[in-house]
Amino acid sequence: MSTFALVPDPDDPELTRNVEGCDHRGQAVALSVVVERPLTLYLNGTEVVTLMTIGDHPELLALGFLLNQNMLAGDDAVTAVDYDGDLDVVVVRTRSESSYEQKLKRKIRTSGCAQGTIFGDLMERFDDIRLDPAAEVRCSWLQSLFLQIGRQPSLYQKAGAIHGCVLCERDRPLVYMEDVGRHNAVDKIAGYMHRHGLGGRDKIFYTTGRLTSEMVIKTVQMEIPILVSRSGFTAWGVDLARRAGLTLIGRARGQRFIVLSGGERLVYDLDFAKAAGDDGGDLSAAHKIRTDRSATSDPC
């Protein structure tokens, strides 16, 4: 039985539509494509941003966006989150005013696709966050997570052109979100965590997207100590991960992965000699260095 509390719904007719075209032979085809729609976010009556999104879970996206932009603090009292589907507007109301007007003046744009933005003072909390040094991640957990996530029906499998993010605990995937921008998928999970009172200190975050500075910053702000991706790294993403003590695992496919930060959290509990034949070749020597957490030599 699946352990997911929330998963994508590829059968939702609002999220995809069929488009007719032709293939390389000139033959007619009908292709399922992801729908993009604007969502305008208001905080206490003032317009903040318009995001391009697939449109599912707009309330969670709004909450997570404001939290990850430091426009809401974790202890701010949210009194209402109202969504109007006809206007494509979501309004987040709090008991007291925030300082978001000043933050908007220092807006900068990142490498995130679609409407990925952060603010000039986003790093104010970054250096104050202490990720759990006792957290660990086992290779067997990663292998199990990859299998469970890969088998879960998704919009990516149906239509492509989309990113996915999954909140996990040990070898259990909990919340799976997708969107046209990976930053939106992250923010939906942040909104879910806030709404359900979930902490990040014992969690693992999986993403299909690149391990950029934005992904690292948002993961650290959610106080999640381990970030995993099937994609690659950016140099600033690695630098920030090392600065925050975040375990950063990329190029994760099958039995293979690369760790560029926080390698002390890795527990290599798989028999790689047997596992190597399962994914088509030998694992690199870097994957064989640590056999337990007591090892003293760790290039990560």
Side-chain angles (χ1 to χ4, degrees), residues 170-205:
R170 297 171 66 92
D171 61 348
R172 296 185 298 123
L174 303 177
V175 179
Y176 187 170
M177 294 288 190
E178 291 182 300
D179 214 301
V180 288
R182 63 184 179 273
H183 47 85
N184 286 346
V186 178
D187 289 345
K188 290 176 188 176
I189 290 180
Y192 181 94
M193 292 173 66
H194 179 80
R195 176 165 284 183
H196 294 271
L198 292 180
R201 293 179 62 81
D202 59 344
K203 302 298 189 296
I204 298 168
F205 198 92

Side-chain angles (χ1 to χ4, degrees), residues 172-240:
R172 296 185 298 123
L174 303 177
V175 179
Y176 187 170
M177 294 288 190
E178 291 182 300
D179 214 301
V180 288
R182 63 184 179 273
H183 47 85
N184 286 346
V186 178
D187 289 345
K188 290 176 188 176
I189 290 180
Y192 181 94
M193 292 173 66
H194 179 80
R195 176 165 284 183
H196 294 271
L198 292 180
R201 293 179 62 81
D202 59 344
K203 302 298 189 296
I204 298 168
F205 198 92
Y206 172 85
T207 179
T208 60
R210 296 162 293 164
L211 295 171
T212 64
S213 57
E214 182 183 27
M215 286 299 303
V216 169
I217 291 169
K218 290 191 174 187
T219 302
V220 170
Q221 292 206 135
M222 291 186 285
E223 299 186 358
I224 298 174
I226 298 151
L227 174 59
V228 184
S229 174
R230 71 183 187 193
S231 189
F233 311 81
T234 69
W236 194 23
V238 174
D239 290 344
L240 288 175

Side-chain angles (χ1 to χ4, degrees), residues 151-172:
R151 291 169 179 167
Q152 176 62 41
S154 65
L155 284 168
Y156 177 80
Q157 293 174 355
K158 180 177 181 178
I162 203 162
H163 285 289
C165 292
V166 187
L167 180 70
C168 312
E169 184 176 342
R170 297 171 66 92
D171 61 348
R172 296 185 298 123

Side-chain angles (χ1 to χ4, degrees), residues 117-172:
T117 56
I118 59 175
F119 296 91
D121 58 350
L122 191 60
M123 298 296 291
E124 287 181 358
R125 280 192 64 233
F126 187 86
D127 288 325
D128 294 331
I129 296 172
R130 297 292 177 263
L131 300 177
D132 187 358
E136 70 175 24
V137 54
R138 296 179 174 271
C139 291
S140 59
W141 297 351
L142 295 177
Q143 181 183 32
S144 177
L145 289 172
F146 298 158
L147 287 173
Q148 293 178 74
I149 294 168
R151 291 169 179 167
Q152 176 62 41
S154 65
L155 284 168
Y156 177 80
Q157 293 174 355
K158 180 177 181 178
I162 203 162
H163 285 289
C165 292
V166 187
L167 180 70
C168 312
E169 184 176 342
R170 297 171 66 92
D171 61 348
R172 296 185 298 123

